[in-house]
Amino acid sequence: RPGASRSGPHRRGVRSRMSHGNTKHGMWNTSEYKAWVSMKQRCLSTSHAQWADYGGRGVSVCAAWAASFEAFYADMGPRPAGTTLDRKDNTLGYSPSNCRWATPQQQACNRRTPRNSKTGIAGVAKNKRDSVFEVYLMRHGKRIPLGRHHDFFEACCVRKSAEARFS
């Protein structure tokens, strides 16, 4: 009705605050809480745009974190400025032993192998012309060459060494 006052949860501005009303921690508007919600959506919600790259590939969220933001925050702690949630091993799910707050530089070194990779190792490509393995690292959107090697194992070692230096 025009002119009628609104009361209850439908008052202007109250609904958005109430959607998080059952949070006990009071952190629903923090970057840590948003990272937790995003993690759960990517892995558990089939309607999420990135579900195919996470939940669809079998990336899971440990039961404690899926059930409780408080458990997630107790394990991860405050998010340092300039970092985001990262899985140390991208073949495993989100859990205390596999997650960290990482810088963009650390995350650039921690990518899964591209689908079209012929070697199965990110940053190691076989040059068809002269049959050598070219090793590279992506930093700040640029491809940094690390050398050319005839031996695949040697090329992989160079790549892993570079990852450790730059992470």
Side-chain angles (χ1 to χ4, degrees):
R1 294 177 311 202
S5 68
R6 297 179 118 185
S7 62
H10 300 288
R11 285 191 322 247
R12 184 172 295 150
V14 174
R15 179 179 280 291
S16 64
R17 287 195 308 269
M18 289 190 65
S19 65
H20 298 282
N22 57 357
T23 60
K24 299 173 191 167
H25 48 73
M27 295 182 69
W28 66 269
N29 201 27
T30 64
S31 60
E32 294 88 352
Y33 186 80
K34 291 173 185 174
W36 175 73
V37 168
S38 294
M39 167 193 69
K40 287 181 33 172
Q41 288 175 339
R42 288 190 302 269
C43 296
L44 305 174
S45 174
T46 57
S47 63
H48 191 274
Q50 292 180 306
W51 184 82
D53 291 325
Y54 290 87
R57 285 194 316 113
V59 176
S60 61
V61 177
C62 73
W65 285 8
S68 163
F69 169 73
E70 289 88 346
F72 170 80
Y73 189 77
D75 290 330
M76 292 300 297
R79 182 179 75 100
T83 63
T84 56
L85 185 61
D86 181 46
R87 288 176 292 129
K88 297 172 191 173
D89 181 343
N90 286 322
T91 63
L92 302 176
Y94 289 92
S95 66
S97 62
N98 192 41
C99 288
R100 64 182 176 177
W101 297 115
T103 64
Q105 293 81 9
Q106 290 170 313
Q107 289 194 1
C109 292
N110 186 25
R111 294 179 180 246
R112 66 183 165 143
T113 305
R115 290 185 192 123
N116 62 351
S117 172
K118 304 289 188 240
T119 64
I121 305 293
V124 177
K126 186 165 186 178
N127 184 314
K128 292 178 186 176
R129 198 179 37 193
D130 52 9
S131 295
V132 297
F133 294 95
E134 296 178 345
V135 184
Y136 63 91
L137 191 65
M138 296 300 289
R139 298 270 296 159
H140 309 290
K142 295 181 181 175
R143 185 176 168 144
I144 300 170
L146 300 173
R148 296 164 46 92
H149 303 274
H150 290 283
D151 182 66
F152 177 68
F153 181 74
E154 183 182 349
C156 293
C157 289
V158 168
R159 168 63 187 198
K160 285 294 176 191
S161 174
E163 286 176 14
R165 272 195 328 266
F166 289 104
S167 67

